[in-house]
C-alpha cells in the first residue's frame, strides 16, 4: 500500500512537471513569434523621425511689420516685411502668440537699426533672418526674459525664419 502511494505521488509530480514545461514552452513560442524579430535600421529610424517632423511642421505668421531705416542720404526710407516662423512643435504657436508684442518689438528694433543702402543685400537678409531666429528663441526659451538663462532643450522652439515679403522704399 505504501508502495502504491509512493507511485501515485511520483506520477502526480511527473504530470505537474510536464504541464509546467508545456506552459513554459508555449509562453516561449508565443514570446518569440509575437515580438518583432528585425530591429529597425538607423536609416529607418531617421526616416520615421523625418516623417514625424514633417507631420508636426507648423508655420506661424507674425504679420506685416513696417519701420523706418537708417539713412545716409538724408531721405526717409522704410522697410516692410512679413515674417514666417517655422517650428516642429505645434504647441509653440500659443507661446508665440503670448509673447507677440515682445517679439514684434524686438524685430522692429532690429530692422530699424539697418542701413537702407545695405539691407537689400542677400548676406544682410540672411544675417537678419538668423538674428530674428535668435531673438525669438531667446524670448520663448526665457519666458519673455523672466528666466535668466534659456532652458536647455534638445532643439530650439523655432527651427527657421523666413521672409514672406521684403520691401524697401
Amino acid at each position: 500500500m505504501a508502495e502504491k502511494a509512493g507511485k501515485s505521488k511520483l506520477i502526480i509530480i511527473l504530470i505537474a512537471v510536464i504541464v509546467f514545461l508545456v506552459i513554459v514552452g508555449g509562453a516561449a513560442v508565443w514570446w518569440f513569434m509575437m515580438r518583432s524579430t528585425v530591429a529597425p535600421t538607423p536609416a529607418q529610424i531617421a526616416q520615421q523621425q523625418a516623417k514625424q517632423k514633417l507631420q508636426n511642421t507648423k508655420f506661424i505668421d507674425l504679420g506685416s511689420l513696417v519701420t523706418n531705416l537708417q539713412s545716409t542720404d538724408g531721405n526717409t526710407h522704410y522697410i516692410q516685411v512679413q515674417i514666417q516662423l517655422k517650428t516642429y512643435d505645434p504647441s509653440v504657436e500659443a507661446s508665440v502668440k503670448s509673447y507677440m508684442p515682445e517679439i514684434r518689438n524686438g524685430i522692429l528694433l532690429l530692422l530699424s537699426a539697418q542701413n537702407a543702402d545695405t539691407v537689400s543685400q542677400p548676406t544682410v537678409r540672411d544675417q537678419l533672418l538668423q538674428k530674428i531666429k535668435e531673438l525669438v528663441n531667446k524670448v520663448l526659451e526665457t519666458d519673455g526674459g523672466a528666466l535668466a538663462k534659456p532652458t536647455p532643450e534638445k532643439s530650439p522652439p523655432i527651427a527657421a525664419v523666413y521672409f514672406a515679403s521684403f520691401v524697401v522704399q
Side-chain angles (χ1 to χ4, degrees), residues 35-46:
R35 72 182 187 125
S36 175
T37 56
V38 178
T41 65
Q44 289 172 330
I45 292 171

Side-chain angles (χ1 to χ4, degrees), residues 93-120:
E93 185 174 17
S95 296
V96 169
K97 288 185 180 189
S98 295
Y99 294 112
M100 186 68 78
E102 187 173 350
I103 291 169
R104 288 177 59 92
N105 179 63
I107 294 171
L108 285 171
L109 290 174
L110 184 64
L111 291 172
S112 66
Q114 301 303 308
N115 190 320
D117 299 332
T118 60
V119 74
S120 294

Side-chain angles (χ1 to χ4, degrees), residues 5-149:
K7 273 188 174 183
S8 59
K9 281 186 183 180
L10 182 62
I11 291 174
I12 291 174
I13 291 174
L14 193 58
I15 291 173
V17 168
I18 291 172
V19 168
F20 176 75
L21 290 175
V22 167
I23 290 173
V24 169
V29 167
W30 176 83
W31 170 257
F32 288 111
M33 296 299 279
M34 297 303 286
R35 72 182 187 125
S36 175
T37 56
V38 178
T41 65
Q44 289 172 330
I45 292 171
Q47 184 180 18
Q48 187 177 9
Q49 288 174 342
K51 185 178 178 183
Q52 187 177 11
K53 243 185 181 182
L54 182 63
Q55 289 173 345
N56 290 336
T57 301
K58 177 82 174 159
F59 288 91
I60 305 164
D61 187 8
L62 295 184
S64 184
L65 298 138
V66 180
T67 188
N68 57 327
L69 293 168
Q70 300 293 319
S71 177
T72 55
D73 63 8
N75 293 328
T76 304
H77 296 276
Y78 296 96
I79 185 170
Q80 178 183 5
V81 296
Q82 186 171 2
I83 298 174
Q84 302 278 328
L85 305 176
K86 180 180 182 180
T87 183
Y88 297 115
D89 182 359
S91 67
V92 170
E93 185 174 17
S95 296
V96 169
K97 288 185 180 189
S98 295
Y99 294 112
M100 186 68 78
E102 187 173 350
I103 291 169
R104 288 177 59 92
N105 179 63
I107 294 171
L108 285 171
L109 290 174
L110 184 64
L111 291 172
S112 66
Q114 301 303 308
N115 190 320
D117 299 332
T118 60
V119 74
S120 294
Q121 296 174 355
T123 56
V124 175
R125 284 186 186 190
D126 290 341
Q127 290 171 353
L128 274 174
L129 289 172
Q130 186 61 33
K131 288 179 183 178
I132 292 169
K133 178 183 168 186
E134 290 170 5
L135 178 124
V136 174
N137 279 329
K138 183 177 179 186
V139 168
L140 295 176
E141 290 174 337
T142 62
D143 285 337
L147 303 174
K149 293 182 180 179

